Amino acid sequence: MQNIQTISLNKCDRNIFYVIEFVECKNIPISRRLIELGFVKGAELKIIQFSALKKTLLVEISGYILSLRANVASFIKVKK
């Protein structure tokens, strides 16, 4: 169940730390890959940068930086 304070990662601001609440994706391979990359409940992350059209974003999580498409980032629900 989605909490009012929970927002999608692609709607977040830069340089603020967020905590992952859950990954909401019906596509099993995508959700499995996100979990393998460390997108699990309780993990801290922050957005470093957006692309010019906000189609991709750079995310720092678990000590490394990776790029996510905005549509994939929308599956990740976070809170401050």
Side-chain angles (χ1 to χ4, degrees):
M1 187 175 291
Q2 197 169 20
N3 188 350
I4 301 244
Q5 299 172 349
T6 304
I7 58 174
S8 298
L9 183 61
N10 63 327
K11 304 283 187 206
C12 294
D13 295 322
R14 290 178 33 197
N15 297 320
I16 298 175
F17 282 96
Y18 294 93
V19 177
I20 297 174
E21 282 296 302
F22 57 92
V23 175
E24 183 179 57
C25 180
K26 295 183 191 277
N27 187 325
I28 301 294
I30 291 175
S31 62
R32 184 176 295 148
R33 184 64 179 145
L34 288 171
I35 291 168
E36 289 172 355
L37 289 170
F39 291 92
V40 294
K41 182 176 177 144
E44 274 193 351
L45 57 79
K46 74 174 177 177
I47 298 174
I48 297 173
Q49 189 172 3
F50 288 99
S51 65
L53 298 175
K54 290 197 171 187
K55 297 290 183 183
T56 60
L57 45 131
L58 284 180
V59 178
E60 182 179 340
I61 183 170
S62 301
Y64 62 94
I65 298 172
L66 59 98
S67 177
L68 285 178
R69 292 183 187 146
N71 64 337
V72 174
S74 69
F75 301 140
I76 303 165
K77 307 302 180 189
V78 298
K79 69 177 185 177
K80 285 187 183 180

